Amino acid sequence: MPKIAKRVAKSREGIDPTKLYALTEAVAMLKERATAKFDETIEISMNLGVDPRHADQMVRGVCNLPNGTGRSVRVAVFARGAKADEAKAAGADIVGAEDLLAEIQGGKIDFDRCIATPDLMPLVGRLGKVLGPRGLMPNPKVGTVTMDVTKAVGDAKGGAVEFRAEKAGIVHAGVGKASFTAEALVQNIVAFAEAVHKAKPTGAKGTYVQRVAVSSTMGPGLKVDPSSVATAS
């Protein structure tokens, strides 16, 4: 058996695929099994009782993880003049207007988060087909279209994660690294779940959170009791 297959098989030992684990237990098991040679990302996936094809069932928002994401986030800001200077001072990696538009249109997308001042949205709007599919299009609902670029850049650098329900009603996000303490991961997961709950749309009917699972980059997925996500601390 190849070395990677052996490690995968070992990581699944002792896991009951039919069991709903308490969040604290699931996190402890993930950390034990995150044995890759790099710091694995811990991810959460939530199946919601919504159909995002209907406008009143769309779930979208942003969560500021209390313990950050553990990853370095490159931030691009569309701004001019004083706001461009403010963005640079706040730590933005790339700042521009028409020049940044040209770079992106040329295929250079060297950032993880995109922020814009409202006056530049007509310009940014031309990039909808490029940024939209990548989840990078600035949006006022998640605080990435704003005049307060200092806060937006700080949030992006400090652990803000955006979420949006996919076609099947699933939201997912990286909520930390395997090197985090179990307590820090649990706090981040609970904060993310709370943000998803707050984003519950008016058109959602029946059980909103139907299934929850956590996993690491190279490890197995563990089903989590949804009620434990709401009550863990």
Side-chain angles (χ1 to χ4, degrees), residues 66-230:
N67 301 298
T69 62
R71 65 187 284 258
S72 177
V73 177
R74 286 183 60 79
V75 179
V77 179
F78 277 91
R80 288 195 183 101
K83 285 297 169 183
D85 295 337
E86 185 183 327
K88 290 173 186 173
D93 301 277
I94 308 164
V95 181
E98 283 81 6
D99 53 338
L100 181 52
L101 172 81
E103 274 190 19
I104 295 171
Q105 286 177 328
K108 187 178 179 183
I109 302 177
D110 187 23
F111 52 87
D112 309 294
R113 185 69 54 84
C114 187
I115 294 162
T117 53
D119 57 303
L120 287 192
M121 278 310 291
L123 187 72
V124 181
R126 299 183 207 168
L127 298 168
K129 289 182 179 178
V130 180
L131 299 180
R134 292 173 171 82
L136 292 172
M137 193 68 183
N139 188 296
K141 289 183 179 178
V142 294
T144 48
V145 177
T146 177
M147 289 301 287
D148 192 350
V149 292
T150 297
K151 181 180 186 303
V153 172
D155 286 348
K157 292 280 188 180
V161 292
E162 291 182 36
F163 57 87
R164 181 175 183 168
E166 297 173 352
K167 287 181 182 178
I170 299 170
V171 294
H172 58 84
V175 288
K177 295 289 185 178
S179 60
F180 284 21
T181 65
E183 182 182 16
L185 286 170
V186 168
Q187 288 172 349
N188 277 1
I189 291 169
V190 169
F192 182 81
E194 285 178 349
V196 173
H197 273 283
K198 286 178 183 175
K200 182 178 179 179
T202 55
K205 300 289 188 289
T207 304
Y208 179 49
V209 178
Q210 298 182 336
R211 290 187 297 279
V212 178
V214 291
S215 62
S216 63
T217 307
M218 303 294 288
L222 293 170
K223 295 177 182 176
V224 176
D225 181 349
S227 65
S228 75
V229 176

Side-chain angles (χ1 to χ4, degrees), residues 19-30 186 222:
K19 179 178 176 179
L20 289 179
Y21 289 92
L23 177 60
T24 50
E25 184 182 6
V27 166
M29 292 175 74
L30 283 185
V186 168
L222 293 170

Side-chain angles (χ1 to χ4, degrees), residues 43-72:
E43 300 178 347
I44 182 171
S45 175
M46 302 176 72
N47 291 61
L48 307 177
V50 297
D51 183 349
R53 291 174 298 180
H54 299 288
D56 65 346
Q57 294 188 47
M58 186 62 217
V59 178
R60 183 170 191 171
V62 64
C63 173
N64 288 304
L65 299 176
N67 301 298
T69 62
R71 65 187 284 258
S72 177

